[in-house]
Amino acid sequence: MKEMDTVEIIVEKECYAKEDVHKGMQGWICFEPNVPEYVLVCFPQMGEKNNIATIAVKEEDLKEIPRMDARVNERIKAQFEK
């Protein structure tokens, strides 16, 4: 995976959930950090809303997708809000 690739997170892990990132959310790779096997991924929302998170994600927890849709992130996020 490389910078600007669009990806989907394919696992639900506590370390990601603490940052409000959940299985099925989509994002794009900001850049490849110096930590082997991890990439920095931005998980946006639609329009002028703040990003959900920009976090380091293990490459094996991601799959490449042809196109990202931030509306998916908003729907998943709404499921976890209290």
Side-chain angles (χ1 to χ4, degrees):
M1 293 182 193
K2 61 189 183 313
E3 188 174 347
M4 301 304 293
D5 282 349
T6 52
V7 294
E8 179 178 312
I9 194 157
I10 57 172
V11 296
E12 182 73 26
K13 288 187 173 178
E14 186 176 336
C15 59
Y16 303 145
K18 287 180 182 179
E19 301 294 332
D20 296 323
V21 174
H22 302 280
K23 182 179 179 180
M25 286 189 167
Q26 300 176 359
W28 58 279
I29 297 176
C30 301
F31 67 89
E32 301 164 38
N34 295 333
V35 180
E37 301 177 19
Y38 283 82
V39 291
L40 192 65
V41 182
C42 176
F43 295 92
Q45 296 188 84
M46 291 296 295
E48 300 295 318
K49 296 177 186 173
N50 291 333
N51 293 329
I52 294 169
T54 301
I55 60 171
V57 178
K58 199 163 191 171
E59 285 189 64
E60 68 185 32
D61 295 342
L62 297 168
K63 73 174 181 179
E64 284 187 60
I65 56 174
R67 182 176 157 178
M68 181 187 71
D69 184 350
R71 292 174 295 190
V72 170
N73 296 347
E74 291 182 358
R75 286 193 296 268
I76 293 170
K77 182 181 175 191
Q79 294 173 6
F80 288 90
E81 290 179 337
K82 296 176 182 179

